[in-house]
Amino acid sequence: MPVIGLGVYLNDECATACQVALEEGYRMIDSARYYMNEAQVGVGVQRSGIPREQIFITSKIYHVDFGFARGRECIQESVDQLGLGYYDLYLIHSPVTGKTKRIETYKALVEAKKDGLVKKIGVSNYSGKHIDEIIDAGLELPDVNQIELHPFCQQRPIVEYCRAKSIAIQAFSPLVTGQMDHEVFRQLAKKHNKDEAQILIRWSLQKGYIPLPKSSRSERIRSNAQVFDFELDNDDMDALDALDQGGKGAVTWNPVEEP
Ligand SMILES: NC(=O)c1ccc[n+]([C@@H]2O[C@H](COP(=O)([O-])OP(=O)(O)OC[C@H]3O[C@@H](n4cnc5c(N)ncnc54)[C@H](OP(=O)(O)O)[C@@H]3O)[C@@H](O)[C@H]2O)c1
């Protein structure tokens, strides 16, 4: 799985962003049925001319479509919308709607994997207790848990749980949805001659997460990927780690406590 991806939430005209990202070296795109842009992702990939098998594309099923039969239909619809034959990763978007529907939906993902519609399956906004349900049902472990992760929202119990089970952790909203006006970010940006976004993406990478920064602007898509020519030292990482407010630091919906 690539180590960084382009997020495309709130970018329903994202074909150009995807194309630019791929030309700049990104090899992962994170979409969802809820974003209403799966077809645009397909167009961007095709315009890039990069072979399909070199690109890792994700979508997610939203809770309004949970359940086994509807889940199966939705995954097929997603694949048809994308127009590239399969998804590399398909996630349950959130644990919203209760245990029974979560498990039924997960079974739909398992089936879709057997049928070759998706290569890997996973979850998003899941805490350990939601993943335990999957284990208790005798189903395969998710390959990925995608959660909100940035210095203000480090969700350490979920991270530790996923690490212990070798579940890859994708970091959504790694740029705090653009709210990066903070003294620590500013100081580190100055120290490393980088911008705040690059500092946050680098922190995410050094934590072992897979960050999914979103931008609609070509110059930011480019700069957000220029994070492999510097390193944060232990003091830098400690200063960023110290900003943690747990789940309270979330700036999006973060439904990890869903019963
Ligand atoms: N699974 C889930 O429930 C879930 C929830 C939320 C997000 N996600 C995924 O994670 C992706 C990223 O999260 P996100 O979109 O919420 O937030 P984000 O990536 O943390 O931040 C995106 C915001 O930052 C701005 N930005 C991007 N690069 C910048 C830079 N270099 N300097 C200053 N501002 C910059 C963007 O504006 P411009 O576009 O104008 O550059 C946009 O407003 C989403 O697109 C989606 O794929 C998943």
Side-chain angles (χ1 to χ4, degrees), residues 18 35 63 86 88 91 94 99-100 102 141 163 173 185 188 197 235 240 257:
C18 292
Y35 307 167
H63 60 265
Y86 63 90
D88 298 276
L91 305 178
S94 84
K99 177 178 170 182
T100 307
R102 280 196 287 272
L141 271 180
R163 284 197 173 131
S173 306
F185 303 164
L188 292 177
D235 289 344
L240 291 164
E257 296 299 338

Side-chain angles (χ1 to χ4, degrees), residues 197-216:
Q198 291 166 325
I199 296 296
L200 288 182
I201 294 166
R202 187 70 212 179
W203 174 85
S204 199
L205 290 168
Q206 287 185 217
K207 296 299 267 186
Y209 311 146
I210 299 162
L212 305 170
K214 175 260 172 183
S215 180
S216 319

Side-chain angles (χ1 to χ4, degrees), residues 187-255:
Q187 280 171 7
L188 292 177
K190 195 170 172 209
K191 173 175 170 182
H192 290 281
N193 200 22
K194 289 283 177 182
D195 65 28
E196 284 85 342
Q198 291 166 325
I199 296 296
L200 288 182
I201 294 166
R202 187 70 212 179
W203 174 85
S204 199
L205 290 168
Q206 287 185 217
K207 296 299 267 186
Y209 311 146
I210 299 162
L212 305 170
K214 175 260 172 183
S215 180
S216 319
R217 308 186 200 189
S218 301
E219 68 281 9
R220 287 179 172 175
I221 292 171
R222 192 171 302 121
S223 65
N224 289 347
Q226 289 167 353
V227 289
F228 298 99
D229 55 355
F230 77 108
E231 198 168 346
L232 298 171
D233 63 27
N234 289 341
D235 289 344
D236 302 338
M237 292 298 284
D238 288 348
L240 291 164
D241 285 352
L243 300 176
D244 188 26
Q245 298 164 31
K248 287 201 188 77
V251 291
T252 66
W253 62 332
N254 200 34

